[in-house]
Amino acid sequence: MNIKIVQTKEELEDAYFVRKKVFIEEQNVPAEEEIDEFEKDATHFVLYNDERSPIGAGRFRILDGIGKVERICVLSEGRNKGAGALIMKAIESYAADKGIEKLKLNGQTHAIPFYEKLHYRVASEEFLDAGIPHKTMIKELK
């Protein structure tokens, strides 16, 4: 597997392809909520399998000096193979290179054990986002 920071229109389309499959088709998130007004402000990541097909994606923004990890997703055929961890490690490395010391994300409650394995800790009560239960999670990079 190969993770890339999106630099071309084609790579961005690959990231959107994965996000649309996972969030819009699988989880029934409305398209207008999934592809939002923050796309242009974000750094996007796309994960390719060995056949050069996109299988994972995520995005990253900096808000008030804190890194915000968003839209982490992996196609069903790539799950439970370390794909999500590869995306997260790439984003964390990128954030550290930018001098970011703290990351936060809003994780779907079913994914909390995944993020806890990566040393994120729950920092909020449960809330709904796009009708899906989430909790905010935090990780200190330093």
Side-chain angles (χ1 to χ4, degrees), residues 10-134:
E10 291 77 18
E11 290 168 350
L12 184 59
E13 288 303 317
D14 286 345
Y16 286 162
F17 168 80
V18 176
R19 288 173 50 188
K20 287 174 183 175
K21 281 274 193 207
V22 173
F23 295 122
I24 297 171
E25 293 177 25
E26 284 183 29
Q27 298 183 355
N28 298 309
V29 172
E32 62 275 8
E33 287 186 46
E34 174 49 34
I35 306 300
D36 65 19
E37 69 271 20
F38 303 117
E39 302 299 339
K40 288 186 172 119
D41 300 327
T43 300
H44 297 267
F45 294 77
V46 62
L47 179 67
Y48 294 97
N49 65 15
D50 294 337
E51 290 78 44
R52 183 86 177 106
S53 296
I55 61 163
R59 76 178 190 190
F60 175 80
R61 297 185 297 138
I62 300 171
L63 303 172
D64 300 322
I66 297 173
K68 184 138 191 272
V69 180
E70 302 173 313
R71 306 303 201 269
I72 303 302
C73 57
V74 176
L75 295 181
S76 59
E77 61 265 26
R79 293 179 194 150
N80 300 310
K81 298 177 182 169
L86 280 175
I87 297 166
M88 292 299 294
K89 285 183 170 71
I91 291 173
E92 289 173 7
S93 176
Y94 178 84
D97 288 348
K98 297 282 184 199
I100 300 298
E101 297 180 7
K102 185 177 186 177
L103 297 177
K104 87 175 191 178
L105 59 84
N106 293 328
Q108 294 182 8
T109 55
H110 74 85
I112 286 175
F114 164 76
Y115 292 117
E116 287 176 332
K117 285 180 192 168
L118 299 173
H119 307 290
Y120 286 79
R121 61 177 173 76
V122 172
S124 78
E125 296 297 318
E126 188 174 295
F127 61 93
L128 291 178
D129 185 3
I132 300 168
H134 286 72

